[in-house]
Amino acid sequence: MSRSVRLVPAVAALLVLAVTGTACDSGARGAPGGSGAGDPYFPKAGNGGYDIGHYSLALDYTPAGRRLTGTAVITARATRDLSAFHLDLSGLRVDSVRVEGEKARWSRSGQELTVRPRAGLSKGETFLVTVRYSGTPRTLTDPDGSREGWLPTADGALALGEPVGSMTWFPGNHHPSDKATYDISVTVPKGLQAVSVGEQTDMSTKNGRTTYRWQAAQPMASYLATVAIGRFDITRTTGPHGLPVVTAVDPGQAEASAEVLAKIPEILDWAEYNFGPYPFSSAGAIVDRPRDAGYALETQTRPFFPGPPDVSTLVHELVHQWYGDSVGPASWRDMWLNEGFATYAEWLYDEDNGGPTAQETFTSLYEEGPDDIWAFPPARPSGAAHISDSPVYQRGAMVLHKIRRTVGDDTFYDIVQGWAAAHRHGTADTADFVRYVERKAPGKDFRTIWKDWLYGDGKPAHA
Ligand code: TRP
Ligand code: ZN
């Protein structure tokens, strides 16, 4: 329903009363916002009717007892008139919700937290939502069986959010299409540390508890947020142009991680040469124990590793900062734009550092790679359980290699740098990419690449 529906006079009169401030709970204009962002793989992820600009999260966590209390102050803008709107939150207890400082009604159903502000919201209006919540955060099991959300570790906890795990530790618009800046403060028992994304702005201890404040000044999708609580060896160095590089390493992993993490500045140099300027105001890594999680993740500015990464995995997660983090996927269908690029960067790094050429990697995958590479086309994963399968990674990288062979190195690097610049801090989908490549290489024929390699079922007949 929209404001243009014709109203019978009695209803119109009520509406006037509501707008002029007479107490009337049902006077909110507009319709409820949607419960999803329209994602083809995760239909309930994200919400409709507003955009979040900033999250200010204040968390307090005690590992013994696994208790979290949180306050989320969210700045959002209505993209249409709203009588109600949704946030995503999984588990935990909601203690109160305020909109613009006024108590709001709310209800919960599954991961949907529905908020009904007293006054309703007008299209274009900026509003502040404050949610107080508490409880023991959940670990989620994804459709593919992997674990994400809030993962307890031996000395603390770790938050991983791809694709939907961040809704276990803060309420929000949990879909990659809505990026925002973040302030994250985490209070933990004195003696423990809390590491997050961006730059640390403060640390203070009071009554036996220490608060660490972090700030992500560039827009971030919520799945790329993280908090790591525990004991860490923190190292601060600099990368290209004085870029702050902060690594946080579980003390038991420190010795085995030192040599590979020392490569971060030179890998960032190499990546800037190939992909253009690093998109964020700091970099680094978080290394926890191998059993703390089943995979690495490209958490923004500070990728996460379960144990010391090998160089390829480090390159992969660092290059995600350009492709995946800065240029985000418009929906989870576009995952190959993250993983194909990060995987192809591993091949390029090998090629530039005395390993096999990208052509050799391509050929060996085509000729003797596992059959599951061909299970589905990279641009159309065969369901939510498959968005992290090998067609998205390896065959996605093969698509990029085919493009490189078609256009030559000069145009290829123009394309990958231009793509990162064109969508910096934004999102894009596969159709955007196809158009972009065709515009950068007029006269080249990409039809087979799109039809057979990107969108086609089965193994393409020719390498
Ligand atoms: N996207 C991560 C990366 O490429 C890996 C990852 C996250 C993953 N979640 C997953 C892999 C689930 C397999 C299953 O670095
Ligand atoms: Zn990846």
Side-chain angles (χ1 to χ4, degrees):
M1 219 195 348
S2 78
R3 290 169 72 188
S4 62
V5 292
R6 265 166 283 142
L7 300 168
V8 295
V11 176
L14 264 181
L15 193 59
V16 169
L17 282 177
V19 170
T20 54
T22 308
C24 177
D25 260 341
S26 57
R29 289 170 299 168
S35 62
D39 193 276
Y41 293 79
F42 293 87
K44 284 189 284 187
N47 306 282
Y50 65 88
D51 262 320
I52 295 182
H54 184 75
Y55 291 84
S56 182
L57 307 177
L59 309 175
D60 184 297
Y61 188 70
T62 304
R66 298 185 180 176
R67 190 171 164 80
L68 177 75
T69 58
T71 302
V73 181
I74 295 168
T75 310
R77 192 177 46 81
T79 54
R80 57 182 184 74
D81 287 354
L82 289 170
S83 59
F85 60 89
H86 288 236
L87 294 166
D88 301 312
L89 181 68
S90 175
L92 299 168
R93 188 184 90 166
V94 172
D95 299 310
S96 71
V97 181
R98 287 178 180 265
V99 176
E100 291 289 277
E102 274 203 85
K103 276 208 161 142
R105 298 180 177 204
W106 54 270
S107 59
R108 301 188 70 182
S109 172
Q111 70 183 62
E112 301 299 325
L113 167 60
T114 306
V115 179
R116 287 181 188 72
R118 285 183 69 89
L121 300 160
S122 309
K123 179 176 181 176
E125 184 180 348
T126 298
F127 59 101
L128 220 57
V129 189
T130 304
V131 182
R132 292 182 195 280
Y133 57 100
S134 57
T136 297
R138 294 181 172 169
T139 305
L140 300 180
T141 302
D142 289 336
D144 68 5
S146 56
R147 283 155 32 92
E148 58 156 343
W150 192 265
L151 312 179
T153 61
D155 59 357
L158 165 71
L160 295 180
E162 187 180 43
V164 294
S166 291
M167 65 181 172
T168 65
W169 58 283
F170 64 97
N173 198 20
H174 291 299
H175 188 263
S177 55
D178 192 0
K179 294 187 178 188
T181 54
Y182 285 69
D183 286 304
I184 302 177
S185 84
V186 189
T187 301
V188 292
K190 187 178 172 218
L192 291 185
Q193 285 151 309
V195 180
S196 188
V197 289
E199 295 86 58
Q200 190 180 332
T201 57
D202 189 39
M203 181 193 96
S204 62
T205 299
K206 207 169 85 185
N207 302 327
R209 298 184 76 74
T210 305
T211 300
Y212 296 84
R213 292 180 200 283
W214 294 84
Q215 158 185 318
Q218 293 85 38
M220 177 171 76
S222 73
Y223 81 93
L224 298 169
T226 189
V227 166
I229 295 166
R231 291 178 205 280
F232 294 101
D233 288 351
I234 311 269
T235 305
R236 294 169 197 275
T237 84
T238 52
H241 333 293
L243 181 77
V245 175
V246 180
T247 61
V249 182
D250 179 276
Q253 309 299 316
E255 205 186 320
S257 302
E259 198 180 319
V260 65
L261 295 183
K263 291 183 188 293
I264 290 175
E266 70 193 60
I267 294 171
L268 292 174
D269 266 332
W270 171 84
E272 284 203 326
Y273 179 76
N274 289 289
F275 308 125
Y278 180 77
F280 305 118
S281 47
S282 64
I286 298 170
V287 180
D288 233 324
R289 277 158 294 219
R291 291 179 51 195
D292 290 333
Y295 51 85
L297 187 63
E298 62 269 27
T299 39
Q300 191 154 304
T301 68
R302 207 139 294 120
F304 168 82
F305 303 93
D310 57 27
V311 175
S312 283
T313 305
L314 182 59
V315 168
H316 180 109
E317 306 305 341
L318 291 176
V319 172
H320 265 313
Q321 304 303 312
W322 282 255
Y323 306 106
D325 293 17
S326 173
V327 183
S331 87
W332 291 112
R333 184 163 56 203
D334 304 304
M335 185 74 162
W336 83 275
L337 289 172
N338 294 13
E339 303 306 343
F341 272 88
T343 303
Y344 196 57
E346 297 176 50
W347 302 6
L348 292 173
Y349 189 85
D350 281 345
E351 177 171 300
D352 290 350
N353 290 276
T357 63
Q359 179 61 43
E360 284 164 347
T361 305
F362 176 96
T363 302
S364 72
L365 274 177
Y366 185 80
E367 285 173 0
E368 62 223 39
D371 276 350
D372 58 8
I373 294 176
W374 315 110
F376 57 80
R380 291 285 178 270
S382 56
H386 301 288
I387 62 167
S388 292
D389 286 2
S390 60
V392 171
Y393 285 72
Q394 272 77 33
R395 192 168 157 187
M398 294 173 96
V399 169
L400 294 172
H401 186 69
K402 295 283 295 183
I403 294 169
R404 180 180 171 203
R405 263 182 16 200
T406 301
V407 302
D409 278 9
D410 282 358
T411 303
F412 179 73
Y413 283 101
D414 278 354
I415 288 173
V416 294
Q417 289 185 15
W419 176 247
H423 296 283
R424 180 178 162 96
H425 301 319
T427 59
D429 66 16
T430 304
D432 294 327
F433 182 70
V434 165
R435 272 194 301 273
Y436 188 83
V437 171
E438 293 195 329
R439 188 151 56 78
K440 286 287 183 164
K444 297 286 183 193
D445 184 354
F446 297 100
R447 279 174 298 183
T448 310
I449 300 180
W450 308 147
K451 187 167 143 302
D452 295 349
W453 287 85
L454 185 55
Y455 286 107
D457 287 319
K459 182 173 178 174
H462 302 285

